[in-house]
Amino acid sequence: IFIVAPCACSGILRDYEPKVGRNKAEALVEIEKSSLLIEATVMTTGRDINFCGAIGIEEYSNKIYSKIEDKAKQLKNSSYPVILFIVPPFLITPPELKLGLQKVLQSAECNNIAGIIVSDDYKAHCLKLVKNPNCKYPIEKGVWGELFELYALKPLEIENIWE
């Protein structure tokens, strides 16, 4: 609800749960005459709580990448850029998240995803955005600005995975 409600309240919602091939997205919105698909996913498979084991960031970064890649494939028949909201598992570490997102941005399979909005705690006021520079559907600067304002987004820097 916290994803689609701001779109409805601001008047940019064009379709709720639009069909995309055999799948559905959360919403189709229009900002400054640009159409975007909004999709959301929650990752429920995190690590087991094991304080004695070593942390291997590759395994969990691959889980993040796979989850996003699955969503990209589900919406591959869209002719609109996709904005994906994702809530990673509670115990995922920032390096795992950032490495997984780096893999997404480098993947041709995910080039329909224009941006990934990460919520680390199910709070609508703690959303961070990673833009995909390799998206096959470029989004205008003004559209990004509207999204930043609508969701009070902050940028998520992923270059240094250890920050």
Side-chain angles (χ1 to χ4, degrees), residues 110-122:
C110 299
N111 69 356
N112 59 336
I113 305 243
I116 302 164
I117 297 175
V118 179
S119 172
D120 58 5
D121 58 6
Y122 296 93

Side-chain angles (χ1 to χ4, degrees), residues 39-41 66-75 84 113:
E39 180 58 322
T41 190
S66 294
K67 184 69 169 186
I68 296 171
E69 180 187 42
D70 287 347
K71 284 294 180 182
K73 287 179 179 177
Q74 288 174 13
L75 301 173
L84 177 64
I113 305 243

Side-chain angles (χ1 to χ4, degrees), residues 29-72:
V29 300
E30 186 175 316
I31 302 173
E32 296 185 6
K33 299 184 181 177
S34 294
S35 295
L36 309 167
L37 276 179
I38 303 292
E39 180 58 322
T41 190
V42 174
M43 292 184 63
T44 56
T45 56
R47 75 169 35 87
D48 296 327
I49 298 177
N50 178 0
F51 296 106
C52 298
I55 296 175
I57 68 169
E58 199 66 34
E59 178 181 353
Y60 293 98
S61 66
N62 286 339
K63 285 185 178 187
I64 291 166
Y65 169 75
S66 294
K67 184 69 169 186
I68 296 171
E69 180 187 42
D70 287 347
K71 284 294 180 182

Side-chain angles (χ1 to χ4, degrees), residues 145-162:
E146 292 284 330
L147 285 171
F148 266 87
E149 189 173 315
L150 183 66
Y151 290 105
L153 297 174
K154 296 178 178 84
L156 176 60
E157 303 300 327
I158 62 171
E159 287 75 35
N160 182 352
I161 66 171
W162 297 105

Side-chain angles (χ1 to χ4, degrees), residues 19-20 42 59 75 99 107 143 149:
K19 295 273 290 170
V20 180
V42 174
E59 178 181 353
L75 301 173
L99 184 58
S107 169
V143 175
E149 189 173 315

